[in-house]
């Protein structure tokens, strides 16, 4: 099936799997199971981001203990996100065969088990390896979660449902960093990541108990040829390619900023203690709001309008962080966080709507691009900070935002050209 011939129909009715003559048994706000499902996936998002970025706010302390620079310590973040990026596609294939809930449960179980070993890493090398294993284990959750939602939630509620899952990511990222900041200030970074591991265990247990049994899942094939064809079809779709690139670029900004911000705030002229630096991540609450309202934003501005707004907000925040006083820096972080989470929710929900088949693979490719962007942002942002200071990190972020805007403009032009093409009668 040609992507060009099916692009419009995918967007308008991509997730419709119920016959028009039958009542739609999928979940909707206010309906049975919707609250349990939303809260379960919210908790999964909390556990995922809390574990994935558990060392990010602690990088100055890790640098101090192991005697390494920011660019080396940043690998404790990049290894986790890189492991997730590499394994998200194979894990999504397993979810097509064995079920979304089964794979998500197994992913969380392994990830929290590894998380309880992280505090005992004897060297930076061992720490990086454990973090890579943790990221690989978590890979089964993001793509499976969005595929689960696409199958179990009615289309009109899909953006909102995915927004709530992304909001859980923001809460996990925020709480993980705030908690580790204050715990590390009193007892060190090892105790801090151990506390995050225990919290993640509680979230994983609650997730498994709350998530409803899927009712619309149909097992797929694990044959490599079938999977390769599905991936090839997704990558041949111009809209999906643009959405993957947008997700990667947004995450490049976010990964770079939040990997390096701890170093900037603990150094002059700010010289903040670790606990206060960890509390800076309370701005993630803004991301919770912007992600959960992404559906309304798309309803008012359209997908491209929402992406323009998200990119502009992120760029404005980057420029504000160049100031030499704390208040504009904090305001800049608020804008970066709001813009990033809104853009991510819009792009990821568009992927789920666009893919009519192989949704787990479509979402997995997005997640892979997204976390490759995170790994690139962490390493490139830290390297830029080492060589050019905070201005270097901001420059990397602005280039990534420019990429988002450019891709969105090209998408708008492609859509206009497609609407002008005459339809040939057969």
């Amino acid at each position: 099936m040609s992507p060009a011939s099916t692009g419009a129909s995918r967007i308008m009715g991509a997730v419709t799997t119920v016959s028009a003559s039958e009542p739609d048994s999928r979940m909707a706000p206010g309906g049975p199971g919707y609250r349990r499902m939303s809260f379960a996936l919210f908790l999964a998002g909390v556990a995922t981001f809390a574990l994935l970025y558990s060392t990010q706010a602690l990088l100055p302390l890790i640098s101090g203990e192991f005697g390494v620079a920011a660019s080396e310590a940043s690998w404790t973040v990049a290894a986790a996100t890189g492991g997730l990026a590499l394994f998200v596609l194979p894990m999504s294939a397993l979810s097509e065969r064995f079920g979304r809930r089964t794979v998500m449960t197994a992913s969380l179980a392994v990830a929290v088990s590894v998380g309880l070993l992280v505090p005992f890493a004897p060297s930076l090398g061992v720490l990086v390896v454990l973090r890579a294993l943790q990221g690989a284990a978590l890979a089964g959750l993001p793509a499976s979660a969005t595929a689960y939602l696409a199958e179990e939630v009615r289309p009109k509620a899909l953006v909102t449902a995915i927004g709530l899952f992304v909001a859980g990511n923001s809460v996990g990222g925020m709480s993980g960093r705030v908690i580790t900041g204050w715990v590390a200030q009193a007892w060190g970074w090892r105790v801090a990541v151990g506390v995050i591991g225990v919290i993640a265990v509680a979230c994983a247990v609650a997730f498994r108990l709350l998530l409803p049994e899927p009712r619309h899942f149909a097992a797929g094939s694990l044959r490599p040829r079938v999977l390769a064809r599905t991936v090839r079809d997704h990558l041949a779709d111009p809209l999906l390619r643009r959405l993957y690139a947008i997700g990667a670029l947004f995450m490049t900004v976010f990964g770079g900023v939040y990997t390096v911000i701890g170093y900037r705030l603990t150094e002059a002229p700010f010289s903040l203690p670790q606990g206060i630096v960890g509390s800076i991540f309370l701005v993630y609450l803004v991301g919770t709001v912007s992600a959960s309202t992404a559906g309304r934003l798309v309803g008012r501005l359209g997908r491209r309008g929402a992406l323009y707004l998200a990119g502009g907000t992120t760029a404005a925040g980057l420029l504000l962080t160049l100031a030499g006083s704390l208040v504009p820096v904090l305001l800049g972080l608020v804008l970066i966080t709001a813009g990033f989470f809104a853009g991510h929710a819009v792009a990821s929900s568009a992927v789920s709507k666009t893919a009519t088949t192989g949704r787990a693979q479509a979402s997995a490719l997005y997640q892979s691009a997204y976390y490759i962007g995170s790994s690139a942002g962490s390493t490139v942002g830290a390297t830029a900070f080492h060589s050019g200071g905070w201005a270097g990190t901001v420059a990397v972020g602005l280039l990534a935002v420019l990429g988002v805007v450019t891709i969105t403009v090209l998408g708008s032009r492609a859509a206009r050209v497609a609407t002008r093409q005459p339809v040939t009668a057969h």
Side-chain angles (χ1 to χ4, degrees):
M1 184 177 293
S2 168
S5 66
T6 60
S9 62
R10 284 184 176 185
I11 296 171
M12 297 303 296
V15 295
T16 302
T17 58
V18 179
S19 171
S21 62
E22 299 175 359
D24 195 339
S25 61
R26 289 172 292 182
M27 288 181 282
Y34 185 84
R35 285 188 177 180
R36 285 182 57 201
M37 177 274 298
S38 298
F39 188 52
L41 289 175
F42 179 86
L43 290 176
V46 169
T48 299
F49 254 47
L51 289 171
L52 197 61
Y53 294 100
S54 59
T55 62
Q56 194 172 54
L58 306 173
L59 293 180
L61 296 179
I62 293 172
S63 289
E65 177 169 332
F66 294 118
V68 297
S71 56
E72 295 173 86
S74 68
W75 278 103
T76 63
V77 179
T81 54
L84 193 153
L86 288 175
F87 281 86
V88 68
L89 189 57
M91 288 291 192
S92 73
L94 292 178
S95 83
E96 291 280 8
R97 179 64 182 87
F98 298 108
R100 320 300 186 194
R101 191 171 73 157
T102 299
V103 171
M104 287 189 284
T105 301
S107 291
L108 280 177
V110 176
V112 298
S113 299
V114 176
L116 296 177
L117 297 176
V118 167
F120 303 101
S123 65
L124 180 64
V126 173
L127 178 59
V128 169
V129 169
L130 288 174
R131 296 283 291 146
L133 291 174
Q134 197 171 44
L138 285 170
L141 199 133
S144 299
T146 51
Y148 176 94
L149 289 169
E151 292 163 353
E152 305 298 328
V153 176
R154 296 181 187 179
K156 289 185 178 180
L158 182 59
V159 176
T160 299
I162 291 180
L164 288 172
F165 174 63
V166 174
N169 293 344
S170 70
V171 170
M174 175 203 70
S175 59
R177 291 164 170 89
V178 172
I179 292 169
T180 55
W182 286 106
V183 173
Q185 183 171 312
W187 295 290
W189 70 267
R190 295 180 183 274
V191 175
V193 294
V195 169
I196 293 300
V198 172
I199 292 173
V201 169
C203 288
V205 172
F207 161 80
R208 185 61 180 83
L209 294 175
L210 289 172
L211 190 69
E213 183 74 31
R215 300 175 60 189
H216 301 279
F217 170 74
S221 172
L222 275 177
R223 288 180 295 174
R225 184 177 299 178
V226 174
L227 295 175
R229 183 166 59 248
T230 301
V231 171
R232 186 175 63 248
D233 289 344
H234 289 328
L235 292 177
D237 189 320
L239 174 56
L240 287 176
R241 288 201 304 268
R242 289 194 293 269
L243 292 171
Y244 297 154
I246 286 171
L249 290 169
F250 265 124
M251 196 55 169
T252 298
V253 180
F254 199 69
V257 166
Y258 279 101
T259 295
V260 176
I261 192 64
Y263 289 97
R264 189 183 186 211
L265 294 179
T266 54
E267 296 176 355
F270 306 109
S271 302
L272 298 179
Q274 188 66 45
I276 298 297
V277 170
S279 297
I280 297 298
F281 292 93
L282 284 169
V283 298
Y284 266 49
L285 289 172
V286 177
T288 304
V289 175
S290 66
S292 59
T293 58
R296 292 198 295 270
L297 190 64
V298 172
R300 291 181 180 181
L301 303 176
R303 185 180 67 246
R304 296 186 188 94
L307 289 173
Y308 285 134
L309 180 60
T313 301
T314 304
L318 285 166
L319 293 174
L320 271 176
T321 61
L322 291 170
S325 57
L326 188 59
V327 172
V329 171
L330 293 180
L331 179 57
L333 291 175
V334 166
L335 294 178
I336 292 168
T337 304
F340 161 73
F341 276 105
H344 170 40
V346 171
S348 61
S349 61
V351 169
S352 295
K353 282 189 172 183
T354 302
T356 55
T357 59
R359 293 190 187 102
Q361 281 74 48
S363 296
L365 287 169
Y366 175 83
Q367 296 292 337
S368 183
Y370 175 80
Y371 286 109
I372 286 172
S374 177
S375 296
S378 297
T379 53
V380 175
T383 301
F385 179 77
H386 182 71
S387 59
W390 181 252
T393 302
V394 169
V396 171
L398 290 174
L399 285 174
V401 172
L402 178 61
V404 169
V405 173
T406 301
I407 291 169
T408 307
V409 168
L410 293 175
S412 299
R413 291 179 178 176
R416 286 197 297 269
V417 170
T419 57
R420 292 172 185 168
Q421 291 179 347
V423 178
T424 304
H426 293 283

